[in-house]
Amino acid sequence: MERFLDYFVPEKYVLNLAIDKNKKTIGGEIVVIGKISNEIVKFHAVNLEITDVFVDGKEVQYKADGKTLEIKDVSLGNAEIRIFYHGKLNENMQGAYLSTYEYNGKTETIVATQFESHYAREAFPCIDEPAAKAVFELSIAVPKGSNDAILANTPEAKVRFGALRSAAARELAPAARGDGPAGRGAEPNFCSGAKVVSFEPTPRMSTYLLAWVIGKFHGRTVNNKHGVEITTYCALNQDVESVDFANEIAARALEFYDDNFGLPYPLKKLDQVALPDFEAGAMENWGLVTYRESMMLASPNATLGTKKSVALTVSHELSHQWFGDLVTMKWWDDLWLNESFASVMEYYATDYIHPEYKIFEAFFTSDAYAALLRDAYKGVQSVHQEVKSPEEIATLFDGAIVYAKGARLMLMLIRLTGWEEFCKGIRDYFKKFQYRNTVGDDLWDALKPYAEFDPKRLMHAFIDKPGYPVITNEEGNFEKFNQQRFLLDGPCEKGEWPIPRVTEDMSGHYVLNLTETEFAERLEKFDKLGLEEKLRLLIDRDLITKAGIQSAASLVPLAMHFKDDNQAAVWNKVAGLISNLVVYVDDESEEEKMLKKYVLKLVDRKLDEVGMKTGENDSENTIRLRANLMALDYYAEDKKRFKELANWYQEDYKKMDTEIRDNILSAKIYLKSEIVDEYLEKYQTVADPDVKFDYLAAATLVRDQKELNKVMKLLDDTEVVKPQDQLHLFVGLYRNPKARMKVFDWMINNWETIKKTGGEKTLSDYPMVIGRLARTGEEFGKFCEFFEPMKDDPTLMRAIEIGKNEIKARLELIKKNQKEVVDQICRFCDR
């Protein structure tokens, strides 16, 4: 793949930008100082109109094709390249884009940026490659009369009002320009009284980390113990108190990283902004971290789950301020260097800040399990993945692999090395490579002096190839063992990994295939096992039955074995076992009724014991335990409890028990379908992102076809359900058997619109979701018919292949095990 850095090495950008959110325009003058090393220079410039180019003050010829700006006949050596351009602000949540929210009956518009992975080129001409680090001096002008706040990576250096001397604004009205590289005609709003904000130079960093936000916000500022000023902002329609928790986490997370990484946070300030429209969860722009509202805001009465999610997200992004921003991968094939590290550090930081959250339990039951599940299919990407085209970059952000599997491998490495020794290696790494770019081997080399094993050999084995081993012991213990590659879509294959030692906790990325005798022995002494050993036992059995190595019917008595257990994490995996059984019964069949009866029998006594209402002195474990039990009880269609929950419904959501609000809403709509109108009205008028999500999620559960059609219409209404939330709506409806095939057809008929309004990273989620949820031959047929013609599209090919393999393997399991599973369920229900 061609690298523009081979032609020109930038050292500094001076950006004089004029941005008009009302006219949806961006333009200006870009001065790039650097070294030319070829007869031509190339800049990335996507959908930007280049109007003039000067090299060392001399106007030169150039060619621009909407993707690349090419300048020929240049001299080698140091040079100053000045580029004038203009373009449009995007509306698809990438590049420099528009975001909106409603406040006091008026639509407020924000301009924000999302440059990772390769979208800076859509906002200004640049060498848009991670190794092309440079200093950025940014000035932004907004039209006369604007009272918007303007934020960037670094603090303000100067604010002035007046004309733009550099002619940056002329690119918003190119017909008005005169001659010469400066002082040309500009649009009137920018010539007189324009607000021009200049920012301090950034550290040396990659283009994808540059950021700015323009709009109306309110926020709060705190200073942490190390003197860093942290300001967290939200839109005016959000309660300003909802930023306090993110402020607290940010302040303490920076302290934790300062102490453990050996280099203090290198910037003067940290801003955090919750954006109404945001494709990803958050973005680690250096000094200006941006978030989806639901990933940063937590009202004073937010649920425990919301607080945990915000704590993890903030801690993740702030670890990037070192691992990703200070030290950056040379190329996107080493994206895992950023994300795998941040995805494990978020848990260490959160555990340090709020140990009462028992946050690693969530890592083991969620992230670690997701990694094992995804990594067990043919065609899955490796953590370290070669990138051959720009289109492939978006496919790297596979949450279950680059994030979750990578985090699990980092945890394995940390535990084998020891935390203190690991941090010594990390300090060496940061000290040596600060403000530079690295590859994976640089990290392993830094850790090697502190490890009693070869980190490079171990990690290359897991990172450079997909998959993991299923381990069978020899001689009754795991000191000697055999291994094969574990697969869910075919028989196990030959494979070997250099595992220093096998443990039965959750440290290692592998599955233990116990004999029936060994499994029974551990089950008998289950109460004496450590929590991680319990989770290992349940997760491995879950996967081994999915692979057909052990009988799926064995899950029926196994789940019932835990009906009196008190640990929320154990019940989380029991719920996972039930999900495995659900695929074996058809919707609305007699067999499904029997399974629901079995599930009610499983949870009934424990839920009576725990109770449905949140108690004032409930522990973190009790709150999670109740959530798991009530989710299972909902599947069982427990009408007695539904009536009780529905009686607790309040039109004012603030009067409902926050921790079980979603359960109350689900029960109410089960009993009263017509309340969907009220739910949808609340979704449109409430600002709190968690409350909005609860109402929308509950609305997707409605069973009456007339009412369900009202919810389905929202798929076409991006004014009500923003494009960032469309996938959530799609998934909720797809889980509803009354809507499943209709929303499948909607996706097929609206694919071009989905491509246009959603970002590149969202597109592959659709085949992934269907691959994860489909369980009929009809769905498989539709999947193949629709997606097969797209199998060579770099952004979709991997998701399509894995989704196809996943559905096919599931159908084969159903065919093989359905009768035995149903018979076992019936036997338990007849007892």
Side-chain angles (χ1 to χ4, degrees):
M1 184 174 171
E2 186 180 28
R3 308 287 174 89
F4 288 8
L5 191 60
D6 294 336
Y7 303 108
F8 178 72
V9 179
E11 290 296 328
K12 182 168 78 170
Y13 289 80
V14 180
L15 297 93
N16 295 298
L17 303 181
I19 298 174
D20 188 333
K21 67 184 186 182
N22 295 318
K23 295 185 176 180
K24 303 180 182 181
T25 54
I26 182 172
E29 170 194 49
I30 310 298
V31 179
V32 193
I33 299 167
K35 187 173 184 178
I36 298 173
S37 54
N38 204 300
E39 294 178 351
I40 61 172
V41 170
K42 292 186 179 183
F43 286 87
H44 297 100
V46 173
N47 298 328
L48 302 176
E49 184 173 341
I50 310 300
T51 54
D52 291 290
V53 178
F54 296 82
V55 177
D56 293 330
K58 180 183 178 183
E59 190 164 8
V60 297
Q61 297 299 308
Y62 61 89
K63 182 174 71 175
D65 62 4
K67 291 185 177 180
T68 302
L69 165 63
E70 185 175 308
I71 308 166
K72 292 186 176 181
D73 301 322
V74 293
S75 301
L76 303 184
N78 296 327
E80 177 189 277
I81 301 175
R82 187 180 298 259
I83 304 166
F84 292 92
Y85 80 102
H86 61 268
K88 285 285 188 180
L89 295 170
N90 292 335
E91 297 185 58
N92 62 349
M93 298 176 287
Q94 65 189 39
Y97 71 93
L98 296 166
S99 174
T100 61
Y101 67 93
E102 300 297 317
Y103 180 65
N104 285 347
K106 180 183 175 184
T107 299
E108 295 289 348
T109 301
I110 297 165
V111 179
T113 58
Q114 173 59 39
F115 290 163
E116 188 181 33
S117 52
H118 57 299
Y119 308 123
R121 64 190 69 183
E122 297 182 18
F124 65 97
C126 56
I127 309 296
D128 198 12
E129 298 167 2
K133 285 195 169 188
V135 172
F136 295 84
E137 293 183 7
L138 174 66
S139 293
I140 293 177
V142 292
K144 178 181 179 180
S146 172
N147 59 354
D148 285 342
I150 305 177
L151 306 173
N153 303 81
T154 52
E156 286 183 359
K158 182 171 63 175
V159 180
R160 66 182 180 86
F161 296 86
L164 295 180
R165 184 202 63 78
S166 68
R170 76 184 177 87
E171 294 309 329
L172 301 184
R177 70 176 187 267
D179 296 324
R184 308 182 186 188
E187 192 169 328
N189 278 351
F190 286 88
C191 284
S192 176
K195 179 183 178 180
V196 185
V197 181
S198 299
F199 296 90
E200 294 181 10
T202 70
R204 190 168 178 269
M205 67 184 196
S206 303
T207 48
Y208 79 88
L209 296 170
L210 184 67
W212 60 81
V213 176
I214 305 168
K216 294 181 176 63
F217 305 95
H218 53 182
R220 289 182 171 174
T221 300
V222 298
N223 289 80
N224 75 355
K225 291 179 181 179
H226 297 173
V228 179
E229 182 179 276
I230 301 158
T231 306
T232 303
Y233 300 89
C234 61
L236 298 178
N237 66 339
Q238 299 291 349
D239 185 346
V240 73
E241 289 186 326
S242 65
V243 307
D244 290 343
F245 185 71
N247 259 346
E248 175 216 330
I249 297 298
R252 298 196 62 196
L254 288 181
E255 293 164 5
F256 175 78
Y257 295 138
D258 280 351
D259 293 341
N260 286 282
F261 295 165
L263 287 176
Y265 175 70
L267 300 182
K268 294 180 181 179
K269 60 90 175 175
L270 169 69
D271 290 338
Q272 302 185 107
V273 185
L275 294 170
D277 298 273
F278 199 82
E279 183 189 11
M283 178 60 208
E284 65 267 20
N285 313 301
W286 215 355
L288 178 60
V289 182
T290 48
Y291 298 84
R292 183 181 286 224
E293 288 180 329
S294 61
M295 304 304 285
M296 193 200 84
L297 301 180
S299 64
N301 65 336
T303 65
L304 176 65
T306 294
K307 289 180 178 178
K308 286 183 176 183
S309 175
V310 170
L312 288 170
T313 305
V314 172
S315 296
H316 179 105
E317 300 310 320
L318 298 194
S319 76
H320 275 313
Q321 305 298 295
W322 286 262
F323 225 109
D325 297 2
L326 180 67
V327 180
T328 313
M329 73 270 157
K330 283 186 179 177
W331 186 243
W332 293 107
D333 54 358
D334 277 318
L335 173 68
W336 64 270
L337 264 174
N338 291 8
E339 300 302 345
S340 301
F341 186 88
S343 296
V344 75
M345 281 300 122
E346 65 184 79
Y347 284 92
Y348 276 98
T350 301
D351 189 52
Y352 165 79
I353 299 166
H354 284 290
E356 73 278 9
Y357 285 177
K358 300 179 182 177
I359 200 68
F360 272 101
E361 291 185 20
F363 178 76
F364 299 133
T365 57
S366 179
D367 290 24
Y369 178 72
L372 288 166
L373 196 60
R374 180 79 167 163
D375 204 23
Y377 288 98
K378 297 173 184 175
V380 70
Q381 72 181 63
S382 55
V383 175
H384 176 271
Q385 184 70 36
E386 184 180 3
V387 177
K388 297 177 181 177
S389 69
E391 293 77 15
E392 287 184 292
I393 296 173
T395 71
L396 296 176
F397 294 82
D398 187 327
I401 299 299
V402 170
Y403 292 74
K405 178 183 176 180
R408 188 145 196 237
L409 298 178
M410 293 302 295
L411 179 69
M412 178 171 69
L413 182 67
I414 291 168
R415 287 187 167 185
L416 286 168
T417 308
W419 175 255
E420 292 300 327
E421 297 302 302
F422 176 80
C423 286
K424 289 177 184 177
I426 291 299
R427 291 179 197 126
D428 291 350
Y429 177 78
F430 286 141
K431 186 176 180 180
K432 181 177 181 180
F433 293 108
Q434 56 186 312
Y435 306 108
R436 294 167 59 191
N437 296 85
T438 61
V439 295
D441 282 353
D442 295 322
L443 178 59
W444 311 144
D445 289 342
L447 292 170
K448 187 173 183 180
Y450 305 101
E452 296 179 356
F453 60 95
D454 185 352
K456 186 183 296 185
R457 179 170 176 264
L458 173 68
M459 299 305 280
H460 271 296
F462 277 98
I463 282 174
D464 290 345
K465 64 181 181 182
Y468 59 88
V470 54
I471 292 174
T472 306
N473 70 52
E474 295 180 8
E475 302 175 4
N477 60 62
F478 286 104
E479 291 182 10
K480 293 184 178 181
F481 54 88
N482 296 316
Q483 51 180 311
Q484 292 177 292
R485 182 186 175 186
F486 181 77
L487 288 170
L488 291 174
D489 56 349
C492 295
E493 296 178 348
K494 184 178 180 181
E496 190 169 335
W497 287 259
I499 302 169
R501 63 176 180 268
V502 174
T503 62
E504 294 191 45
D505 61 11
M506 289 295 294
S507 297
H509 188 59
Y510 46 73
V511 165
L512 301 180
N513 182 21
L514 302 175
T515 66
E516 284 302 293
T517 301
E518 291 167 337
F519 185 79
E521 288 173 351
R522 286 158 178 77
L523 206 55
E524 189 175 344
K525 60 177 183 179
F526 191 80
D527 291 341
K528 297 178 181 178
L529 298 178
L531 179 61
E532 288 189 36
E533 293 174 306
K534 292 178 180 179
L535 297 178
R536 161 73 70 187
L537 196 68
L538 287 167
I539 287 171
D540 289 0
R541 180 52 59 124
D542 173 323
L543 292 165
I544 281 171
T545 57
K546 272 189 170 79
I549 297 172
Q550 297 290 346
S551 166
S554 68
L555 299 180
V556 179
L558 177 61
M560 196 62 73
H561 181 88
F562 304 105
K563 67 183 189 306
D564 296 318
D565 202 279
N566 291 311
Q567 291 182 292
V570 170
W571 272 98
N572 179 282
K573 297 327 299 175
V574 171
L577 299 182
I578 298 303
S579 295
N580 286 356
L581 296 175
V582 167
V583 303
Y584 292 102
V585 297
D586 296 331
D587 296 323
E588 300 182 327
S589 65
E590 288 302 314
E591 292 80 8
E592 185 188 53
K593 291 178 183 177
M594 294 299 287
L595 178 58
K596 290 176 183 289
K597 182 179 177 183
Y598 164 87
V599 172
L600 182 57
K601 185 176 181 180
L602 172 68
V603 303
D604 199 33
R605 187 165 69 186
K606 181 56 65 175
L607 188 49
D608 271 346
E609 178 187 316
V610 173
M612 291 195 293
K613 283 189 175 181
T614 306
E616 186 177 347
N617 298 315
D618 279 353
S619 67
E620 183 273 348
N621 182 75
T622 299
I623 292 171
R624 283 191 296 129
L625 175 59
R626 179 183 294 111
N628 286 320
L629 292 170
M630 291 180 73
L632 288 168
D633 190 68
Y634 181 84
Y635 173 76
E637 296 188 54
D638 182 356
K639 294 181 178 61
K640 179 182 176 182
R641 288 193 175 96
F642 284 180
K643 289 178 182 178
E644 188 175 359
L645 284 165
N647 286 335
W648 298 340
Y649 175 78
Q650 297 281 341
E651 189 173 338
D652 182 355
Y653 70 87
K654 294 179 181 178
K655 295 180 180 179
M656 287 189 277
D657 183 337
T658 303
E659 292 291 349
I660 62 167
R661 182 178 57 226
D662 57 340
N663 305 102
I664 293 171
L665 295 176
S666 300
K668 186 71 174 179
I669 203 167
Y670 180 92
L671 298 173
K672 186 182 178 183
S673 291
E674 59 269 26
I675 204 170
V676 74
D677 290 323
E678 188 172 317
Y679 284 13
L680 296 181
E681 189 271 334
K682 292 287 188 185
Y683 175 77
Q684 294 179 64
T685 56
V686 172
D688 186 307
D690 283 341
V691 179
K692 288 174 73 74
F693 181 81
D694 281 351
Y695 278 111
L696 186 63
T700 66
L701 300 172
V702 68
R703 300 186 177 208
D704 179 83
Q705 196 61 57
K706 178 184 174 183
E707 305 300 329
L708 184 57
N709 288 340
K710 296 176 183 177
V711 184
M712 290 186 61
K713 284 181 180 178
L714 296 181
L715 286 167
D716 296 313
D717 193 343
T718 55
E719 293 296 317
V720 175
V721 179
K722 289 173 175 281
Q724 67 172 11
D725 297 321
Q726 193 175 56
L727 181 66
H728 292 298
L729 176 59
F730 176 85
V731 173
L733 288 168
Y734 198 92
R735 290 181 183 277
N736 185 335
K738 299 283 189 181
R740 184 172 299 143
M741 299 313 298
K742 290 184 179 181
V743 293
F744 203 142
D745 289 338
W746 172 86
M747 181 200 70
I748 292 171
N749 295 330
N750 291 273
W751 188 249
E752 291 305 314
T753 303
I754 293 170
K755 287 169 66 175
K756 182 179 178 181
T757 58
E760 286 184 341
K761 296 171 189 171
T762 302
L763 208 57
S764 63
D765 288 336
Y766 284 88
M768 280 199 286
V769 164
I770 296 172
R772 192 161 58 242
L773 298 178
R775 52 192 175 102
T776 66
E778 182 183 6
E779 291 166 277
F780 183 57
K782 275 183 176 285
F783 185 97
C784 294
E785 181 181 359
F786 179 65
F787 284 115
E788 195 71 21
M790 307 179 204
K791 65 181 181 180
D792 294 326
D793 183 336
T795 61
L796 293 168
M797 58 192 302
R798 192 173 293 115
I800 292 170
E801 181 183 1
I802 296 172
K804 183 178 177 181
N805 291 345
E806 199 170 352
I807 301 170
K808 185 178 179 181
R810 188 175 301 118
L811 292 176
E812 289 174 356
L813 269 183
I814 292 170
K815 182 178 180 181
K816 176 183 176 183
N817 296 316
Q818 189 170 39
K819 185 179 185 306
E820 186 183 2
V821 169
V822 169
D823 288 347
Q824 186 73 283
I825 292 168
C826 291
R827 280 196 291 272
F828 262 83
C829 290
D830 290 339
R831 290 180 183 177

